[in-house]
Each structure stands twice: as structure tokens, then as C-alpha cells.
Amino acid sequence: MEHDLSSPPFPSWPDTAPDLVDVAAGRAHADTVIRGGIWVNVHTREALPGHDIAIKAGRIACVVPDASYCTGPETEVIEANGRYMIPGLCDGHMHIESGMLTPAEFAAAVIPHGTTSMFTDPHEIANVLGLKGVRLMHNEALMQPVNIWTQMPSCAPSAPGMETTGYEISAEDVAEAMAWPGIIGLGEMMNFPGMAAGDPQMLAEVAATQRAGKTVGGHYASPDLGPDFAAYVAGGPADDHEGTVEADAIARMRQGMRSMIRLGSAWYDVETQITAITEKGLDPRNMILCTDDCHSGTLVNEGHMNRVVRHAIACGCDPLVALQMATINTATHFGLEREIGSLTPGRRADVILTSDLESLPIEHVIARGKTVAVDGALTVDCPHLDWPDSARQTIHVGPPKTAADFEIAAPEGRNSVTANVIGVVENQAPTKALKRDMPVSDGKVESYGDTCQIALVERHRATGGVVNALVAGFGYQGKMAMASTVAHDSHHMIVVGTDRDQMALAANRLAEVGGGVTIWRDGEELALVELPIAGLMSDSPAREVAAKADALVQAMVDCGCTLNNAYMQHSLLALVVIPELRISDLGLVDVRSFEFIPILEPTT
């Protein structure tokens, strides 16, 4: 694969040191000076009034009480007017594809919110397009005016033997990617049973990363903190974002991992874990704030990392500590403390001006020394990659679907059956393993109450395969169906519905438009979000995608769903590495034991 990129790499500190030294010494003039602000120093956790920041070649030359000695007639002067000067915010764990946007449009959406550095794991596209897809994401990321580092996906499939992906990632793929310029480490090691069991491929991927001197991302989605957890940590993952309670955060930090606590569109895991800092008094430098997925509606309407920092503060965290968790802690973890994460000499000049540290209005954003947003408005271009047709033609589901494809046959002569049902849990990634008595009509299991059908339609190899099961918790009513080609992590097509005819209509619609999300009721389409790139992303602006996503959410409400951010729950129903029950193209998976279980309990 070609490594050529359309933009040159950002100049290094050693390359620019002579210029930085000359400016700091007063022998040369700064390109830009931010004048008269309160310097928020995340190394010492201080807010120091009356400071200037002098910038040269996109990096900070000095932070001093008065930079007039290195300010010349050509120097751009930005007046802080007594506002706080804080480092650009860092998202330590996220998946750009989950925003339904390409890297360019994701950057355009989050820059006005003050995010200047992202650590992204494109394992969604890896499942669809393999190493080529990862390379495309990596290349567009490096074209942006902010810092987007890529973690090489570790697990495609996420649980070998439990699902079939479009492509598989090998240890050789990982080793190759470690040489790419924008690769910062290994993406979350989701195959935690394999790691704990000493799986040779998982250990080889970790070894290739460690030997390259890069960071191994973790994903231990189990409440068991016994020998399996100890074995997982011994394998090398350096962080984990799957904790949900205080004990999870403490266990990670005590074992030398970074505890990443997330506030995404649907995951609310900050409040229950930050007490390890605010109440137990543990060292906050070992805790990192992240989003682990925000959809476009959240980005446009609520924010990104600024939203997470505000939330942490509202949960009782000192504002300066919360800022550390979204800046220097993240930088340190990825070996970039001398590059980003603080307003100190040599670092990239990623600066936010804000008038208040608690409400955190993002009033002026500077990235690499250039103004990129003012008062919520983007002021730079975010260049697009020319995505090839192979990335836009990825929905291969075989013949058009009919209602018969979504039938669940009951044992002969039965009027009801006991079924294993996936139970959705609001605002959390885990599901519950439920048992429900379901009615039978004409030999087929029917939806009842808050339990409806779910189907996985194979979409990578045109096998035409459909796996049917049952799901509870969405609260859908009437004759409806919702389909999505975003279905972590294998990204087959997931269809949830109360009526098999509507399920067929929804599935066929996505095959027609090349991927996305659609919802149908009584034979009519209520909402559609087209995601033509890998069936995961749109290269349209975030506001356009968000408007369609908002219409989708409203359509879900109109069909009876009252869950917060229910779309995110829908998108995780095939995620076979998070307990308790999930659906895959191979059947219904009990993630507690990593075994397939029957949809219907055997008759006695």
C-alpha cells in the first residue's frame, strides 16, 4: 500500500527547536502571541493570571508574563482578555465511524468544541474492508488540521468463532501497520478471553505493538476481577474503558493500567467511576476521560470532549483535575507528553480560550498555532480523501428479503414457547439474558409486549443468510421495523421489528441505498440516514447527517421507543464481546460463556 499523503507531516520539535529558541530568547519574533490570559498549567494544576503564549512554526516557544520582547510587526496578536488559556482537549478512545462521519467531517464537527487531538480505533471499517479500510481512515485522518492518531484494530473478528466478518485482521497486518506514520498503537484488545487464555495471535499482535514502542489498548468487558483479569493485564493491554462501577476503575489503576471513563451518546460511566478520585482520593493522573462513541446528533447539539469535561465537573471533580484527565493524562498515556496535552514550550500550539472553567464555553480554538474555530464556528477546511468505489459498494445481502426470511418456527403443536431473549439496558453497553414466554401463531413465534424480533442479515459475502432471534426493551408498538448496517463489530445488517413484512422492507431499502439506517411503519419509510461509505459513514457535513439522525430518533419515538439514545443500543446488538446475550451471523451468543444457545428453550 502507498504511504504517500496529500499533506506533509507536521514539523517535529527537533526540526523547529532553533526557531523556538530564538523566539524564546528574543532574537526572533513569534508568528503568533496570545496575550493577557490565565495560563492553566496541567503539569502543576495551577491557574496563573497575566501570561502570554508565544508561538512559532505551530509550536509553543514560551509562556511568559510578557511576550512583547518577541512580538514584532508581523506577529499575529490574539487578545485573551483575561480568559483562561487551556490545552486543546484530547479524546483518548473513540471510533470515528460511530459518528456516522468520515474523519474529515468528524474533525469539522468537533473542532469548534475544542477537541484538537483524537486517538481513534477504526475497527468498524476493518471488519468491512480490512487493512485497506484502515489505511483509508488513517490517510484522511492525517490530512486534517488537528491531531488524529490511529490505533491499528486488533480484533476482526472481535471474537473468533463467534462471528464472520468481511475481513480478518492478522498479526502480520498489525506488524505492517506499526510502520505507518499515523499509527499510535494497537486498538482495544476485545478478545479478552483469548488474551487471558494466551491465544498466540492475540499475544503476537500485542508483541508487535510493544516492540514498536507503542501503546496497547484494552477492553476487558467482564465484571470478573479474578485470575482472568490478572491474566489479561499480564498480556499487555495498558488501558481499559469498559468499567462501569468504582471498583472497576480502582482495579485497573492498581494494576498499572489507565482507567478510561467514558461519556458517549449512550454510555454514562463517568459518574459511577470518578468517585475513585473525588471520594477515595486516588491519584487522578491514572484516569482518562473519553467518549467511546458519539453520534452526529450529540456532536452537533451537545458537544464532544467539552461535554465530557463539564459532566466530570458536575459529578464533583475539580475543574483542573478534569482538564488533566482530558489533556495531559491522555498525552502521557500514549507517549506524547512532550508533543501535546499542555501549554508548555515545544508542544504543539493547541490552545482553547474560555471565560469559565466549569461551564467551559469554547470561545476560540487554536490548533498547531492556527485559529481553527471562533465562537462555535469552524474557520478552516477539513480536506476529504477521494474514497474509492470499493469502499462505497459494500452491501451484499443476496436475493431481496421477504417476510418468510424473518420467521422463527415453533415446535409443532405449540401455542407458546419459552425463548432466550436479548434484554436491552438503557444507557449501558451490556445486555441482559432474559427468558420470556412468547405466543405462537400458525407455527411461528410472534412478538408480544415489549419483546419483538431481531434478525441479522449477512452482508459481506452475499450468502443471503438470516439469523433470527428476539429482543426486549425497545418498547416498539404497531407494525414497524428498523434496519441498520451499523452493527458493531461485524457490521452485518441488523433488523429489529414487530412485523416481518416491515422487516423485509427495511432490509431491502438499505440494500438499495448502499447502507445506512432506516425505519418503517405500516409500509412507509419514516426516516433514512444514508451511510454509503462501508455502510458506516457519510461524507456529508455533520449537521446534515445529524438532522437525518434526529429524524430517525424521532421516528423511533413515534414507534413507541422511549430509551435514551436507543439507536446506539440497536447498533450494539451484534457486539459479541460484551455480555450477556448478542446475535451473530452464526447464532445467538451467550457472551458470559462464549457459547451459542438456542433461541427457543427445548421442550420437556
PDB file of all heavy atoms in Angstrom, residues 92-95 105 225 240 309 343 367 374 377 403 423 444 518 581 604:
ATOM      1  N   GLY A  92      -9.294  10.134  24.345  1.00  0.00           N
ATOM      2  CA  GLY A  92      -8.384   9.015  24.456  1.00  0.00           C
ATOM      3  C   GLY A  92      -8.859   7.717  23.852  1.00  0.00           C
ATOM      4  O   GLY A  92      -8.056   6.813  23.615  1.00  0.00           O
ATOM      5  N   HIS A  93     -10.165   7.607  23.583  1.00  0.00           N
ATOM      6  CA  HIS A  93     -10.662   6.371  22.968  1.00  0.00           C
ATOM      7  C   HIS A  93     -11.977   6.664  22.259  1.00  0.00           C
ATOM      8  O   HIS A  93     -12.941   7.111  22.875  1.00  0.00           O
ATOM      9  CB  HIS A  93     -10.884   5.271  24.007  1.00  0.00           C
ATOM     10  CG  HIS A  93     -11.460   4.027  23.403  1.00  0.00           C
ATOM     11  ND1 HIS A  93     -10.727   3.192  22.588  1.00  0.00           N
ATOM     12  CD2 HIS A  93     -12.703   3.492  23.453  1.00  0.00           C
ATOM     13  CE1 HIS A  93     -11.484   2.189  22.186  1.00  0.00           C
ATOM     14  NE2 HIS A  93     -12.697   2.353  22.688  1.00  0.00           N
ATOM     15  N   MET A  94     -12.002   6.382  20.962  1.00  0.00           N
ATOM     16  CA  MET A  94     -13.194   6.674  20.177  1.00  0.00           C
ATOM     17  C   MET A  94     -13.121   5.936  18.851  1.00  0.00           C
ATOM     18  O   MET A  94     -12.075   5.434  18.444  1.00  0.00           O
ATOM     19  CB  MET A  94     -13.307   8.173  19.912  1.00  0.00           C
ATOM     20  CG  MET A  94     -12.080   8.739  19.222  1.00  0.00           C
ATOM     21  SD  MET A  94     -12.250  10.452  18.753  1.00  0.00           S
ATOM     22  CE  MET A  94     -13.388  10.302  17.404  1.00  0.00           C
ATOM     23  N   HIS A  95     -14.264   5.883  18.197  1.00  0.00           N
ATOM     24  CA  HIS A  95     -14.372   5.282  16.871  1.00  0.00           C
ATOM     25  C   HIS A  95     -15.080   6.299  15.979  1.00  0.00           C
ATOM     26  O   HIS A  95     -16.269   6.566  16.158  1.00  0.00           O
ATOM     27  CB  HIS A  95     -15.159   3.971  16.923  1.00  0.00           C
ATOM     28  CG  HIS A  95     -14.668   3.039  17.989  1.00  0.00           C
ATOM     29  ND1 HIS A  95     -13.535   2.279  17.835  1.00  0.00           N
ATOM     30  CD2 HIS A  95     -15.136   2.774  19.229  1.00  0.00           C
ATOM     31  CE1 HIS A  95     -13.337   1.565  18.936  1.00  0.00           C
ATOM     32  NE2 HIS A  95     -14.284   1.860  19.796  1.00  0.00           N
ATOM     33  N   GLU A 105     -15.173  15.017   8.168  1.00  0.00           N
ATOM     34  CA  GLU A 105     -16.391  15.630   8.686  1.00  0.00           C
ATOM     35  C   GLU A 105     -16.484  15.506  10.200  1.00  0.00           C
ATOM     36  O   GLU A 105     -17.057  16.366  10.870  1.00  0.00           O
ATOM     37  CB  GLU A 105     -17.622  15.019   8.009  1.00  0.00           C
ATOM     38  CG  GLU A 105     -17.766  15.423   6.544  1.00  0.00           C
ATOM     39  CD  GLU A 105     -17.875  16.932   6.342  1.00  0.00           C
ATOM     40  OE1 GLU A 105     -18.316  17.648   7.265  1.00  0.00           O
ATOM     41  OE2 GLU A 105     -17.503  17.408   5.252  1.00  0.00           O
ATOM     42  N   LEU A 225     -12.997  -9.953  38.295  1.00  0.00           N
ATOM     43  CA  LEU A 225     -11.680  -9.360  38.546  1.00  0.00           C
ATOM     44  C   LEU A 225     -10.724 -10.379  39.164  1.00  0.00           C
ATOM     45  O   LEU A 225      -9.767 -10.012  39.849  1.00  0.00           O
ATOM     46  CB  LEU A 225     -11.824  -8.134  39.454  1.00  0.00           C
ATOM     47  CG  LEU A 225     -12.642  -6.977  38.858  1.00  0.00           C
ATOM     48  CD1 LEU A 225     -12.786  -5.834  39.864  1.00  0.00           C
ATOM     49  CD2 LEU A 225     -12.026  -6.481  37.561  1.00  0.00           C
ATOM     50  N   ASP A 240      -8.136   0.574  29.924  1.00  0.00           N
ATOM     51  CA  ASP A 240      -9.433  -0.087  29.745  1.00  0.00           C
ATOM     52  C   ASP A 240     -10.549   0.925  29.930  1.00  0.00           C
ATOM     53  O   ASP A 240     -10.490   1.777  30.819  1.00  0.00           O
ATOM     54  CB  ASP A 240      -9.620  -1.239  30.726  1.00  0.00           C
ATOM     55  CG  ASP A 240     -10.865  -2.053  30.416  1.00  0.00           C
ATOM     56  OD1 ASP A 240     -10.987  -2.526  29.270  1.00  0.00           O
ATOM     57  OD2 ASP A 240     -11.729  -2.184  31.285  1.00  0.00           O
ATOM     58  N   VAL A 309     -15.907  16.812  29.894  1.00  0.00           N
ATOM     59  CA  VAL A 309     -15.253  17.558  30.975  1.00  0.00           C
ATOM     60  C   VAL A 309     -16.295  18.245  31.848  1.00  0.00           C
ATOM     61  O   VAL A 309     -16.218  18.202  33.090  1.00  0.00           O
ATOM     62  CB  VAL A 309     -14.242  18.567  30.405  1.00  0.00           C
ATOM     63  CG1 VAL A 309     -13.682  19.457  31.520  1.00  0.00           C
ATOM     64  CG2 VAL A 309     -13.106  17.850  29.691  1.00  0.00           C
ATOM     65  N   LEU A 343       0.276  23.389  27.790  1.00  0.00           N
ATOM     66  CA  LEU A 343       0.715  24.657  27.193  1.00  0.00           C
ATOM     67  C   LEU A 343       2.108  24.956  27.716  1.00  0.00           C
ATOM     68  O   LEU A 343       2.311  25.769  28.633  1.00  0.00           O
ATOM     69  CB  LEU A 343      -0.267  25.773  27.539  1.00  0.00           C
ATOM     70  CG  LEU A 343      -1.725  25.523  27.122  1.00  0.00           C
ATOM     71  CD1 LEU A 343      -2.606  26.710  27.482  1.00  0.00           C
ATOM     72  CD2 LEU A 343      -1.821  25.208  25.637  1.00  0.00           C
ATOM     73  N   ALA A 367      -5.210  25.404  16.794  1.00  0.00           N
ATOM     74  CA  ALA A 367      -4.577  24.096  16.628  1.00  0.00           C
ATOM     75  C   ALA A 367      -3.319  24.265  15.798  1.00  0.00           C
ATOM     76  O   ALA A 367      -3.349  24.886  14.728  1.00  0.00           O
ATOM     77  CB  ALA A 367      -5.525  23.113  15.959  1.00  0.00           C
ATOM     78  N   VAL A 374     -13.914  29.892  16.052  1.00  0.00           N
ATOM     79  CA  VAL A 374     -14.210  31.031  16.912  1.00  0.00           C
ATOM     80  C   VAL A 374     -15.697  31.017  17.223  1.00  0.00           C
ATOM     81  O   VAL A 374     -16.536  30.948  16.316  1.00  0.00           O
ATOM     82  CB  VAL A 374     -13.823  32.371  16.251  1.00  0.00           C
ATOM     83  CG1 VAL A 374     -14.219  33.537  17.153  1.00  0.00           C
ATOM     84  CG2 VAL A 374     -12.332  32.417  15.942  1.00  0.00           C
ATOM     85  N   ALA A 377     -17.864  28.452  15.477  1.00  0.00           N
ATOM     86  CA  ALA A 377     -17.834  28.403  14.010  1.00  0.00           C
ATOM     87  C   ALA A 377     -16.463  27.933  13.537  1.00  0.00           C
ATOM     88  O   ALA A 377     -15.432  28.479  13.931  1.00  0.00           O
ATOM     89  CB  ALA A 377     -18.163  29.768  13.416  1.00  0.00           C
ATOM     90  N   ALA A 403     -40.921 -11.570   3.956  1.00  0.00           N
ATOM     91  CA  ALA A 403     -41.336 -11.820   5.335  1.00  0.00           C
ATOM     92  C   ALA A 403     -40.933 -13.210   5.794  1.00  0.00           C
ATOM     93  O   ALA A 403     -40.602 -13.430   6.974  1.00  0.00           O
ATOM     94  CB  ALA A 403     -42.849 -11.631   5.461  1.00  0.00           C
ATOM     95  N   GLY A 423     -31.978  -8.701  26.363  1.00  0.00           N
ATOM     96  CA  GLY A 423     -32.605  -7.598  27.089  1.00  0.00           C
ATOM     97  C   GLY A 423     -31.761  -6.339  27.030  1.00  0.00           C
ATOM     98  O   GLY A 423     -30.635  -6.307  27.544  1.00  0.00           O
ATOM     99  N   LYS A 444     -45.513 -20.115  14.030  1.00  0.00           N
ATOM    100  CA  LYS A 444     -44.428 -19.122  14.066  1.00  0.00           C
ATOM    101  C   LYS A 444     -44.488 -18.319  15.368  1.00  0.00           C
ATOM    102  O   LYS A 444     -45.583 -17.934  15.822  1.00  0.00           O
ATOM    103  CB  LYS A 444     -44.521 -18.177  12.863  1.00  0.00           C
ATOM    104  CG  LYS A 444     -44.353 -18.881  11.523  1.00  0.00           C
ATOM    105  CD  LYS A 444     -44.432 -17.921  10.369  1.00  0.00           C
ATOM    106  CE  LYS A 444     -45.872 -17.498  10.062  1.00  0.00           C
ATOM    107  NZ  LYS A 444     -46.662 -18.605   9.503  1.00  0.00           N
ATOM    108  N   THR A 518     -32.589   2.820   8.534  1.00  0.00           N
ATOM    109  CA  THR A 518     -33.936   3.174   8.079  1.00  0.00           C
ATOM    110  C   THR A 518     -34.967   2.641   9.066  1.00  0.00           C
ATOM    111  O   THR A 518     -34.715   1.634   9.748  1.00  0.00           O
ATOM    112  CB  THR A 518     -34.211   2.619   6.672  1.00  0.00           C
ATOM    113  OG1 THR A 518     -35.501   3.048   6.232  1.00  0.00           O
ATOM    114  CG2 THR A 518     -34.178   1.098   6.648  1.00  0.00           C
ATOM    115  N   LEU A 581     -26.167 -11.349  26.276  1.00  0.00           N
ATOM    116  CA  LEU A 581     -26.573 -12.017  25.040  1.00  0.00           C
ATOM    117  C   LEU A 581     -26.385 -11.106  23.845  1.00  0.00           C
ATOM    118  O   LEU A 581     -26.644  -9.902  23.924  1.00  0.00           O
ATOM    119  CB  LEU A 581     -28.048 -12.454  25.095  1.00  0.00           C
ATOM    120  CG  LEU A 581     -28.457 -13.611  25.996  1.00  0.00           C
ATOM    121  CD1 LEU A 581     -29.900 -14.014  25.697  1.00  0.00           C
ATOM    122  CD2 LEU A 581     -27.539 -14.807  25.840  1.00  0.00           C
ATOM    123  N   THR A 604     -39.935 -30.050  27.104  1.00  0.00           N
ATOM    124  CA  THR A 604     -39.745 -31.192  28.005  1.00  0.00           C
ATOM    125  C   THR A 604     -40.918 -32.153  27.906  1.00  0.00           C
ATOM    126  O   THR A 604     -41.968 -31.827  27.390  1.00  0.00           O
ATOM    127  CB  THR A 604     -39.619 -30.711  29.459  1.00  0.00           C
ATOM    128  OG1 THR A 604     -40.777 -29.921  29.793  1.00  0.00           O
ATOM    129  CG2 THR A 604     -38.369 -29.878  29.622  1.00  0.00           C
TER     130      THR A 604
END
